[in-house]
Structure formats: C-alpha cells, structure tokens
Amino acid sequence: MRIDIITVLPELLESPFSASILKRAIEADLVEVHFHNLRDYTTDNYKSIDDTQFGGGAGMVMMIEPIDKCITRLKEERQYEEVIYMTPDGETLNQGMANHLSLKENIIILCGHYKGVDQRVRDQFITKEISIGDYVLSGGELGAAVLCDAIIRLIPGVLGNETSALTDSFQDNLLAPPIYTKPREYKGWQVPELLFSGNHAKIEKWREEQAYQRTKDRRPDLLDD
Ligand code: ADE
C-alpha cells in the first residue's frame, strides 16, 4: 500500500511514522508513506497557500491551485482509489472504515488548515471526507496520523501476531475484554481463577461475556448496529 499525504506541516507528521509499528511497517516495505509539502506547489514568491474568504468572514481559506497541482502530479504517476480530506465535518472514523481503507493500493490524504479548503477542492478532487471525532484540531495532520495508524496496523504482516488485530476492540462491534499478565497476585489483587483453568473453551466464553458486558455498560450504541 502507498499513502501520499499532502500537508503544509510535514514536520508535524514525521514522528508518528518514525517509531514502533509504523516505522517497522515502512522499513519492511509493507507500506510506503510520502509527505508532500503544499508550499512546493505554489507559484508566487511568498509560497502562499491560503487567502481571505470571498464574501467576507474571519479566517483564511486554502487555495485550490497548489492542491490541484499536487494532486494532478500524483495522479500522473499512478491511480488512486481514494482522495481523502481530513476535516471535522467529515464522516467519523471507525474500525469499519479503517478495515476498508487498509485494502486499498494507493490513497491520498489531504490535511486541511485554517478555515479549510476552497469548496471546489472538495467538489473536484475529494472522494472521502474523514473526521477523527467531534472536536476541532488546528489542522488535519494529527488526524491523518491517527487514520494512518489505524489503517497500517491492519495490513497483513504489520503486526507480529496476525490474529491480534482481529481481536482488537471494535473489530466485531464489541469492546475488548479485560486482560491480565504476571504476577498472578499483586498486593492481594488477584487475576480471575478461570484464566488458569486450562479450559480454552471456558476462557473463550468468559472473554465473550466480558466483552459483551463491557460494551453494554460503556458503549451500548455499538450493540444497536
Ligand atoms: N481537522 C480539524 N479537526 C479535525 C478532526 N476532528 N478530524 C479530522 N481533521 C480535522
């Protein structure tokens, strides 16, 4: 899979891809991630990427020309299945969307800034608009990093134990059950006895019940779907 991220702040994106699972996925060639600085696609001496709103109003708007130039250049090289715009008024990211996107070959992610992009960018180039939650960030970069993390960990071979992504919270619309490790007892606090029974069927049933109960208590909305 190849992900091209269009941004005015590539430095904000560097660290999430320079450590742990994402770094290893890139090093293992399971994913390619490229950053494109929008200022490299400007035509004026000031490298302007934004301007004031037509019709008045506070806040700057990202201009269409540098974005068009960047996206057009990328599309000359290969076909993209999705051109995603990170924006608080997009569809809220969930595990189903991450699963779906992890199957794509090439995607572009455009990070918004200021008030956002000229509407014509959205109308002409964008195939999907994604929000990472109902709050406003200073720009789309952190959202893009969250989206990439959610996608990349699902690519086969990225996680050491291939089944572990499948047992994550949300994978079956349930939250994950409680988990424990050594020591068996700490300050008198015990691990549930059943986990030492060696009875895998019983343990599996217990985990399912715990996952269901936790989902019912914390996220009943997930059970409605
Ligand atoms: N840009 C600003 N806020 C955002 C959000 N909540 N999700 C995605 N991109 C954003």
Side-chain angles (χ1 to χ4, degrees), residues 6-153:
I6 304 174
T7 169
V8 282
L9 287 172
E11 62 272 30
L12 205 54
L13 278 164
E14 269 151 27
S15 81
F17 296 94
S18 312
S20 188
I21 290 171
L22 301 195
K23 179 184 180 194
R24 271 188 277 127
I26 292 166
E27 284 175 352
D29 278 336
L30 294 167
V31 64
E32 270 183 55
V33 182
H34 300 269
F35 304 142
H36 306 276
N37 191 335
L38 210 45
R39 294 199 195 274
D40 295 340
Y41 296 85
T42 54
T43 43
D44 67 327
N45 289 340
Y46 302 102
K47 294 189 179 289
S48 322
I49 49 99
D50 59 335
D51 212 324
T52 52
Q53 277 190 64
F54 282 137
M60 304 292 271
V61 179
M62 288 171 74
M63 295 188 291
I64 190 168
E65 189 179 1
I67 298 172
D68 176 21
K69 287 207 157 82
C70 183
I71 292 177
T72 303
R73 168 87 58 87
L74 289 171
K75 283 184 172 172
E76 279 163 11
E77 302 290 325
R78 66 196 66 76
Q79 281 201 320
Y80 288 90
E81 290 133 295
E82 298 283 5
V83 182
I84 298 166
Y85 175 48
M86 300 308 299
T87 174
D89 56 8
E91 189 183 347
T92 309
L93 178 63
N94 60 31
Q95 192 63 41
M97 287 156 75
N99 290 347
H100 188 72
L101 290 169
S102 73
L103 302 173
K104 307 285 180 197
E105 278 299 312
N106 300 306
I107 62 173
I108 292 175
I109 303 177
L110 171 65
C111 304
H113 260 271
Y114 320 109
K115 275 278 167 201
V117 295
D118 186 307
Q119 180 60 38
R120 290 168 293 181
V121 170
R122 299 169 79 156
D123 297 342
Q124 300 301 324
F125 302 116
I126 301 300
T127 60
K128 210 176 203 26
E129 303 191 330
I130 297 181
S131 163
I132 62 157
D134 289 341
Y135 39 82
V136 179
L137 302 167
S138 313
E141 282 76 11
L142 298 181
V146 167
L147 174 63
C148 288
D149 189 305
I151 294 172
I152 292 170
R153 63 196 300 287

